[in-house]
Amino acid sequence: MASKVIHAIYNDDDLLLQAVKQVREARYHIGEIYTPFPVHGLDKVMGLAPTRLAITSFLYGLVGLTVAVLMMNFIMIEDWPQDIGGKPSFSFLQNMPAFIPIMFELTVFFAAHLMVITFYLRSRLWPFKAAENPDPRTTDDKFLMEVDVANHNVDDLSKFLYNTGALEIKLIEN
């Protein structure tokens, strides 16, 4: 069975936020919202869970720090210790002040690169993926709210969305 959605077009981000509040209060399901720029507070109004990307970034930073410590300990202490500038390489702790810049850089490197890869995997942005934008005007100046019709009356839902300030309503069958 084909699913039906309604695309409601808005021309103002404040109007969109108010409409999202009204649609959620009326217990309609919002499938997706397309905007030309990030709208502050939209995630909270939609009831989306907060992102855990910062937690993964911290964990990736710990991985980078661990790799840096293990790498420098192996290279500079165990494998090929050298007397550089009169500083003997007898232990890692004696030489740690010289290793701090490398530890910092690898922590940032791992956190940044692995976080970007995680973001692309989570949002399913593969290379050469076709755009999923249903209306090209949402890349310029319009805001689109996709509402699932499910078991609701299309005419009542359309009237409700027009009352929230929608400029244009389209019924789409998938």
Side-chain angles (χ1 to χ4, degrees), residues 42-168:
L42 185 60
D43 53 343
K44 290 181 182 137
V45 173
M46 287 183 65
L48 298 177
T51 181
R52 295 183 303 264
L53 198 57
I55 296 169
T56 59
S57 175
F58 177 73
L59 294 175
Y60 294 153
L62 289 178
V63 169
L65 180 64
T66 303
V67 167
V69 168
L70 293 175
M71 178 189 70
M72 288 181 302
N73 185 49
F74 177 74
I75 292 172
M76 299 298 290
I77 307 300
E78 294 175 14
D79 187 40
W80 195 357
Q82 294 183 9
D83 187 355
I84 300 172
K87 298 175 188 171
S89 296
F90 296 132
S91 74
F92 182 80
L93 291 177
Q94 284 179 329
N95 294 308
M96 190 160 47
F99 296 156
I100 287 177
I102 299 167
M103 291 188 295
F104 173 77
E105 291 297 331
L106 279 178
T107 300
V108 172
F109 180 85
F110 271 71
H113 286 78
L114 292 175
M115 191 169 56
V116 167
I117 292 169
T118 301
F119 172 75
Y120 284 142
L121 290 175
R122 280 292 290 150
S123 52
R124 296 186 177 118
L125 291 174
W126 317 117
F128 311 110
K129 182 180 180 193
E132 295 178 1
N133 192 358
D135 193 331
R137 294 177 295 174
T138 60
T139 62
D140 187 25
D141 63 345
K142 301 292 185 224
F143 302 85
L144 186 140
M145 180 178 5
E146 185 178 272
V147 181
D148 294 332
V149 174
N151 299 324
H152 303 290
N153 186 351
V154 175
D155 294 330
D156 292 341
L157 181 56
S158 296
K159 288 178 189 174
F160 176 77
L161 290 172
Y162 273 124
N163 289 335
T164 63
L167 296 176
E168 177 182 327

Side-chain angles (χ1 to χ4, degrees), residues 5-8 29-34 134 144-148:
V5 294
I6 287 184
H7 287 174
H29 180 263
I30 299 173
E32 188 66 61
I33 294 183
Y34 299 90
L144 186 140
M145 180 178 5
E146 185 178 272
V147 181
D148 294 332

